[in-house]
């Protein structure tokens, strides 16, 4: 069975959930081989984690020469790894950075590229959600090694025993790939809440918050949810861009999405329309968001949310 | 110095976007316009020029697309770009990322040979495909540094520095011109064309190129040689109308929590 390369999503060796989703999907296409860009010292610990989801091999690529530059070195390393291993497919978690890596890799390998898949079936047929979630598209790579970036929450991670054999891979990075330099990096402070794109529940606020996100955050915390924001709220400077849900921010597809004081413009819908259950609280009964909802409350979020937060706490005891 | 800004003509996101029978995007039957996210690219190209007073800097707007796509270039000219290039050829229709980036790269190379291409600016994504991959692919093909997803752009001499929000961090990226730059919608409000700008745009040079002009053959691009194939497209069924309650004397919170409990979210 051919290998399927799966690029591990991690922060400083801390493996993130989309990795396990990708390994689960990879098993439909071949034998998963995880690729870890990071410190070689963390290789064994990472292998212990990913082998529980079926990774037969773990290629450890020392990122000392890679992390100081934008995108291009990773694409070169993956090209060399793909040429050595001849994989059946290459899967990457769909982040902005990985999509760019995948784009450059597609040119290097002469391979077709599919971005933002929400499902990949046996045989490599992908599903994408397009036009702000109004259409689904079934597509397939027909030339070269399929390169597919997969969105978070595209599969439920399923455990499976893998050998998890660690193999270090020495990539040669060209000077041309080192021309866009990372001059400084400032890690964002953790909010202590779940990651927006991975969360089962997302509670968002928009213009209707008037800049006061406390009711939104309080309700989110009572449900163990991530906090999101509309573009209007981000443009107003009320929330950092990292929290933006929408076409130019994050696309989320949680089990439950609660939109508060968000009108539901196309820009926002593009980022949340595929959520399983949608709930909205908005003062304006004419707000387009109500066309999408499974349940809606016409009312002021500043009174509805604090009261609802208390009730959730009571129920949870 | 010449700046090339890549602009895309896309179906209006607020219109009823759809696919043709061959599963390509309907780019003719649905009203189109300059992709909103490329307006930010035009804006940053213009600001780059304006901030460097005293230098001779021109801006060339480039689009690849059907006849009507020239509207995207016209809008860029109205905003303040100096010249335009429209690459149009029936054989390009249905191109995927690889085909599109190839045509764009060849066009940039031709502009570079004619007037230079010291900076190539793109939007962060198109509003139709929303892939966010073409700027990186263009950089790969042109062999230029890629400096992407900028929210702040600064330059001095041939040095460019940008700020960008990555997944878990804020980064500063530096590179030396020529580069491919992509900018986000956080980079600054795009200007509206003034009346004067609209009038002036009519007299600005606008060239139309075919694949032959770029040294490409029809069998190198387009739907028939795409590396990917769409097998089906399905309109998402409209969501069935949900229950809407009006909050009166605090009833809304109770109803909301009851609903969440009934769905096992609590």
């Amino acid at each position: 069975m051919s290998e399927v390369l799966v690029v591990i999503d991690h922060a400083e060796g801390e493996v993130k959930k989309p990795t396990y989703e990708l390994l689960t999907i990879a098993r439909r296409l071949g034998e998963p081989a995880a690729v870890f860009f990071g410190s070689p010292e963390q290789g064994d610990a990472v292998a212990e984690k990913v082998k529980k989801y079926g990774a037969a091999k773990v290629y450890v690529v020392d990122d000392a020469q890679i992390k100081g530059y934008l995108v291009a070195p990773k694409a070169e390393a993956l090209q060399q790894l793909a040429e050595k291993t001849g994989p059946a497919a290459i899967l990457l978690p769909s982040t902005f950075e990985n999509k760019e890596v995948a784009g450059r890799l597609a040119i290097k390998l002469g391979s077709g590229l599919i971005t933002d898949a929400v499902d990949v079936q046996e045989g490599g047929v992908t599903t994408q959600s397009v036009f702000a979630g109004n259409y689904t598209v079934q597509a397939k790579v027909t030339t070269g090694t399929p390169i597919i970036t997969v969105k978070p929450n595209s599969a439920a991670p399923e455990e499976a025993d893998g050998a998890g054999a660690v193999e270090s891979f020495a990539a040669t990075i060209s000077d041309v790939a080192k021309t866009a330099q990372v001059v400084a990096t400032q890690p964002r402070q953790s909010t202590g809440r779940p990651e927006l794109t991975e969360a089962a529940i997302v509670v968002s606020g928009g213009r209707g918050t008037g800049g006061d996100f406390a009711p939104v955050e309080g309700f989110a915390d009572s449900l163990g949810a991530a906090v999101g924001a509309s573009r209007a709220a981000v443009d107003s400077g009320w929330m950092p861009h990292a929290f933006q849900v929408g076409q130019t921010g994050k696309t989320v597809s949680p089990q439950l999405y609660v939109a508060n004081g968000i009108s539901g413009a196309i820009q926002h819908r593009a980022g949340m329309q595929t959520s399983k259950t949608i709930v909205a609280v908005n003062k304006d009964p004419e707000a387009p968001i109500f066309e999408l909802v499974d349940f809606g409350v016409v009312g002021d979020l500043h009174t509805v949310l604090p009261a609802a937060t208390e009730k959730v706490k009571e129920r949870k005891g | 110095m010449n700046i090339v800004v890549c602009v895309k003509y896309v179906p209006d996101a607020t219109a009823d976007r759809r696919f043709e029978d061959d599963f390509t995007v309907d780019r003719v039957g649905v009203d189109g316009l300059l992709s909103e996210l490329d307006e930010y690219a035009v804006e940053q190209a213009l600001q780059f020029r304006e901030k460097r007073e005293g230098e001779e800097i021109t801006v060339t707007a480039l689009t690849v697309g059907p006849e009507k796509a020239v509207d995207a270039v016209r809008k860029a000219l109205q905003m303040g770009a100096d010249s335009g290039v429209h690459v149009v050829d029936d054989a390009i229709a249905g191109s995927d990322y690889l085909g599109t980036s190839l045509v764009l790269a060849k066009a940039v190379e031709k502009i570079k040979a004619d007037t230079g291409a010291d900076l190539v600016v793109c939007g962060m994504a198109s509003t139709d495909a929303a892939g966010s991959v073409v700027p990186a692919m263009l950089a790969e093909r042109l062999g230029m540094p890629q400096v992407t997803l900028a929210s702040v752009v600064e330059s001095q001499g041939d040095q460019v520095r940008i700020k960008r929000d990555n997944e878990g961090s804020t980064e500063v990226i530096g590179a030396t011109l020529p580069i491919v730059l992509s900018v986000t919608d956080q980079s600054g409000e795009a200007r509206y064309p003034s009346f004067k700008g609209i009038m002036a745009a009519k007299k600005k040079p606008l060239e139309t190129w075919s694949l032959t002009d770029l040294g490409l053959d029809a069998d190198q691009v387009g739907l028939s040689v795409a590396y990917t194939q769409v097998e089906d497209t399905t309109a998402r069924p409209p969501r069935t109308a949900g229950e809407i309650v009006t909050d009166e004397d605090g009833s809304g919170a109770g109803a909301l929590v009851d609903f969440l409990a009934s769905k096992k979210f609590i």
Side-chain angles (χ1 to χ4, degrees):
Chain A
M1 201 159 45
S2 292
E3 284 183 6
V4 176
L5 296 179
V6 172
V7 174
I8 294 175
D9 187 12
H10 73 96
E12 305 293 330
E14 203 62 50
V15 179
K16 295 190 183 177
K17 188 168 152 248
T19 307
Y20 305 129
E21 298 167 3
L22 257 65
L23 289 167
T24 304
I25 286 171
R27 301 206 296 268
R28 301 171 194 162
L29 308 174
E31 189 175 60
V35 184
F36 175 62
F37 287 100
S39 158
E41 286 155 26
Q42 294 169 335
D44 288 340
V46 167
E48 281 306 310
K49 288 180 188 153
V50 295
K51 77 181 200 186
K52 290 186 187 134
Y53 291 86
K57 269 191 202 156
V58 183
Y59 293 108
V60 175
V61 187
D62 186 350
D63 70 349
Q65 271 200 88
I66 291 176
K67 64 182 175 189
Y69 309 94
L70 211 57
V71 176
K74 263 190 191 169
E76 278 191 352
L78 282 174
Q79 176 194 10
Q80 291 160 22
L81 187 56
E83 281 167 355
K84 181 182 167 232
T85 58
I90 303 170
L91 306 183
L92 303 94
S94 218
T95 60
F96 278 112
E97 186 167 335
N98 279 336
K99 286 206 283 185
E100 293 185 338
V101 171
R104 300 187 73 127
L105 184 61
I107 292 173
K108 288 176 186 294
L109 295 176
S111 289
L113 164 66
I114 289 175
T115 52
D116 293 329
V118 294
D119 192 19
V120 186
Q121 289 146 27
E122 265 177 57
V125 176
T126 64
T127 304
Q128 293 160 287
S129 176
V130 303
F131 291 164
N134 286 332
Y135 275 84
T136 54
V137 170
Q138 252 80 42
K140 207 177 155 168
V141 170
T142 48
T143 303
T145 308
I147 302 171
I148 305 169
T149 76
V150 183
K151 293 189 84 95
N153 284 329
S154 293
E158 286 166 23
E159 292 195 10
D161 285 335
V166 175
E167 197 174 304
S168 86
F169 180 78
T172 314
I173 307 302
S174 73
D175 288 341
V176 177
K178 295 182 183 171
T179 48
Q181 203 178 354
V182 180
V183 179
T185 308
Q186 177 113 49
R188 244 189 312 282
Q189 266 186 333
S190 168
T191 58
R193 299 192 178 97
E195 282 269 334
L196 189 50
T197 52
E198 299 167 19
I201 304 178
V202 175
V203 178
S204 286
R207 201 188 301 275
T209 62
D212 176 14
F213 261 70
V216 171
E217 290 172 335
F219 192 54
D221 290 343
S222 76
L223 295 168
V227 170
S230 72
R231 180 167 164 187
V234 171
D235 283 354
S236 302
W238 300 336
M239 289 293 273
H241 184 252
F243 293 84
Q244 185 175 317
V245 172
Q247 187 182 47
T248 56
K250 305 260 162 58
T251 310
V252 300
S253 195
Q255 296 297 319
L256 170 65
Y257 188 85
V258 187
N260 303 287
I262 294 174
S263 66
I266 184 86
Q267 146 82 227
H268 191 71
R269 292 159 77 131
M272 46 66 75
Q273 192 153 229
T274 56
S275 305
K276 310 292 178 296
T277 299
I278 299 176
V279 170
V281 179
N282 203 302
K283 272 200 291 199
D284 176 9
E286 303 295 319
I289 192 81
F290 285 124
E291 294 163 17
L292 298 181
V293 301
D294 298 283
F295 188 84
V297 179
V298 179
D300 186 347
L301 70 93
H302 294 96
T303 54
V304 174
L305 291 184
T309 303
E310 285 312 309
K311 287 183 190 295
V312 172
K313 284 182 183 163
E314 277 168 29
R315 282 187 188 245
K316 286 190 167 175
Chain B
M1 182 190 291
N2 188 43
I3 301 172
V4 181
V5 56
C6 301
V7 293
K8 188 175 182 184
Y9 179 79
V10 296
D12 188 344
T14 59
D16 195 10
R17 294 182 288 184
R18 55 180 182 258
F19 291 95
E20 304 264 20
D21 291 340
D22 64 356
F23 303 132
T24 58
V25 174
D26 185 345
R27 299 189 182 281
V28 177
V30 181
D31 281 345
L33 75 180
L34 167 62
S35 171
E36 185 211 327
L37 296 174
D38 292 343
E39 289 184 14
Y40 300 99
V42 177
E43 178 62 34
Q44 287 307 311
L46 297 174
Q47 283 192 20
F48 193 97
R49 182 180 66 187
E50 287 156 6
K51 281 179 193 161
R52 297 171 66 130
E53 229 178 315
E55 289 182 55
E56 192 144 321
I57 299 177
T58 49
V59 176
T60 305
L62 164 66
T63 198
V64 177
E67 295 294 336
K68 284 166 78 180
V70 73
D71 283 0
V73 174
R74 288 219 175 92
K75 176 86 183 276
L77 293 177
Q78 291 170 353
M79 288 172 73
D82 301 291
S83 63
V85 172
H86 177 201
V87 181
V88 55
D89 201 308
D90 289 344
I92 298 171
S95 291
D96 59 2
Y97 295 134
L98 285 115
T100 303
S101 61
L102 177 63
V103 176
L104 276 173
K106 291 287 179 190
V108 170
E109 276 166 6
K110 184 167 158 62
I111 294 170
K112 189 177 171 185
D114 295 349
T115 49
D118 305 277
L119 171 63
V120 180
V121 192
C122 305
M124 66 182 287
S126 61
T127 56
D128 54 353
S132 271
V133 295
V134 167
M137 294 176 83
L138 197 49
E140 172 78 28
R141 290 198 186 275
L142 294 169
M144 289 184 186
Q146 76 153 82
V147 180
T148 44
L149 301 169
S151 56
V152 179
V153 182
E154 284 166 356
S155 78
Q156 191 166 37
D158 62 357
Q159 297 300 306
V160 175
R161 278 201 174 192
I162 64 138
K163 205 176 110 185
R164 63 181 229 148
D165 290 316
N166 203 354
E167 304 302 321
S169 59
T170 302
E171 296 174 328
V172 178
I173 310 293
T176 307
L177 293 175
I179 64 166
V180 175
L181 169 73
S182 83
V183 300
T184 72
D185 58 336
Q186 302 292 302
S187 60
E189 203 63 29
R191 69 193 65 186
Y192 289 102
S194 63
F195 179 72
K196 205 174 132 201
I198 292 169
M199 297 312 288
K202 293 178 181 171
K203 298 197 188 83
K204 288 175 178 172
L206 201 170
E207 290 188 38
T208 306
W209 295 347
S210 66
L211 284 179
T212 315
D213 294 321
L214 301 181
L216 286 169
D217 290 327
D219 60 5
Q220 287 177 277
V221 296
L223 186 61
S224 59
V225 298
Y227 290 62
T228 47
Q229 190 186 327
V230 175
E231 300 193 333
D232 202 6
T233 63
T234 319
R236 196 173 202 277
R239 293 187 84 104
T240 43
E243 187 189 351
I244 314 275
V245 301
T246 302
D247 180 44
E248 281 163 20
D249 304 325
S251 64
L256 171 60
V257 173
D258 286 345
F259 172 80
L260 296 180
S262 75
K263 293 281 182 183
K264 310 267 185 275
F265 289 120
I266 301 169

